[in-house]
């Protein structure tokens, strides 16, 4: 994975194994960088949209090279609270070639059903060879967590409080069947990521800083 130089990837400077545990050494972050799981504020939809846009751009770049992350969750995504558009993702070193069963399986409540091994028998292939769409399911789950402060399966009743464009994005990535989810090529062209964001003056000021 060292050949990937996407600006959202927190680079790994050194890898060592101690007591059968893999340790990744990365550059230190600024004090204002916080994991999405521990923000001091609830982001606005405009801020969440830019965070999603950065993550989607990363997924798109990796998927284009036939790599799948399969481990996106709020604890390994950091943003600069002073500039929420500054997004960094850790643990990219565990990404793997699409179509190959990973040696290390990390599962969270933000993982797609196929990553958690909870697909039906007809999805057995997806459980062993995670398709690229597993990353996009995680993006939808992360979006609900950021917008509603709840896990994605607890936030279904809150969708009336978000824009039609955000609802459209979520519906395209939430299917339990990975082959029914939109891919990154489709998602980057959605209206959500291709519209003026003037409804949040505070965020516009942050973005211009």
């Amino acid at each position: 994975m060292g050949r990937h130089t996407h600006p959202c990837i927190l680079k790994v400077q050194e890898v060592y194994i101690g007591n059968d545990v893999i340790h990744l050494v990365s550059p230190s972050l600024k004090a204002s960088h916080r994991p999405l799981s521990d923000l001091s504020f609830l982001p606005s939809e405009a801020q969440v949209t830019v965070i999603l846009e950065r993550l989607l751009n990363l997924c798109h770049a990796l998927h284009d090279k036939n790599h799948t992350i399969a481990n996106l969750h709020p604890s390994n995504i950091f943003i600069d609270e002073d500039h929420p558009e500054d997004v960094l993702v850790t643990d990219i070193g565990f990404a793997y070639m699409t179509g190959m069963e990973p040696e290390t399986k990390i599962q969270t409540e933000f993982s797609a059903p196929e990553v958690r091994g909870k697909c039906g028998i007809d999805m057995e292939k997806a459980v062993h060879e995670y398709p690229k769409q597993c990353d996009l399911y995680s993006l939808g789950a992360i979006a609900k967590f950021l917008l509603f402060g709840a896990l994605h399966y607890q936030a279904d009743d809150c969708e009336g409080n978000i824009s039609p464009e955000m609802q459209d994005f979520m519906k395209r990535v939430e299917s339990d069947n990975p082959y029914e989810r939109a891919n990154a090529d489709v998602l980057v062209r959605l209206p959500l990521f291709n519209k003026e964001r003037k409804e949040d003056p505070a965020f516009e000021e942050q973005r211009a800083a």
Side-chain angles (χ1 to χ4, degrees):
M1 294 299 294
R3 59 184 171 275
H4 290 296
T5 57
H6 193 279
C8 285
I9 295 176
L10 182 62
K11 295 177 175 58
V12 174
Q13 294 180 319
E14 184 180 352
V15 179
Y16 69 93
I17 300 176
N19 297 324
D20 295 326
V21 176
I22 300 175
H23 301 269
L24 306 179
V25 180
S26 299
S28 59
L29 296 174
K30 294 187 293 185
S32 55
H33 271 104
R34 300 285 291 273
L36 292 184
S37 58
D38 188 33
L39 296 181
S40 62
F41 66 98
L42 192 64
S44 68
E45 182 175 321
Q47 291 171 321
V48 171
T49 298
V50 171
I51 293 169
L52 288 175
E53 191 172 28
R54 298 292 191 272
L55 294 173
L56 178 58
N57 181 272
L58 170 61
C59 290
H60 194 204
L62 292 179
H63 294 178
D64 190 54
K65 295 180 181 296
N66 283 321
H67 281 98
T68 305
I69 302 172
N71 184 32
L72 276 174
H73 55 86
S75 295
N76 69 1
I77 302 169
F78 289 76
I79 68 167
D80 185 338
E81 290 198 318
D82 295 334
H83 300 279
E85 71 276 13
D86 182 3
V87 179
L88 291 170
V89 182
T90 64
D91 290 355
I92 294 295
F94 291 113
Y96 64 97
M97 291 296 294
T98 303
M100 295 177 62
E101 185 170 2
E103 295 180 5
T104 303
K105 294 189 177 183
I106 303 175
Q107 303 173 8
T108 74
E109 291 180 300
F110 297 87
S111 301
E114 60 270 21
V115 176
R116 290 181 277 120
K118 294 186 177 181
C119 284
I121 188 66
D122 56 326
M123 292 288 104
E124 184 176 353
K125 181 173 184 282
V127 171
H128 294 288
E129 299 178 6
Y130 307 157
K132 299 171 184 177
Q133 288 91 330
C134 68
D135 291 336
L136 308 176
Y137 180 98
S138 295
L139 288 187
I142 290 167
K144 289 186 177 182
F145 174 76
L146 292 176
L147 288 166
F148 310 128
L151 294 173
H152 55 99
Y153 51 78
Q154 299 170 329
D156 291 338
D157 295 336
C158 302
E159 291 191 11
N161 300 324
I162 57 177
S163 69
E165 291 86 359
M166 182 65 78
Q167 291 182 40
D168 178 46
F169 164 76
M170 288 182 175
K171 291 189 181 304
R172 289 173 183 266
V173 298
E174 68 184 7
S175 174
D176 285 347
N177 183 335
Y179 306 111
E180 292 179 355
R181 296 176 210 138
N183 59 37
D185 286 329
V186 171
L187 295 176
V188 295
R189 294 175 173 82
L190 291 182
L192 178 66
F193 304 113
N194 295 280
K195 68 175 183 177
E196 293 289 332
R197 300 190 188 99
K198 297 181 179 180
E199 67 276 15
D200 189 341
F203 177 67
E204 292 302 324
E205 291 176 6
Q206 286 178 321
R207 202 174 188 193

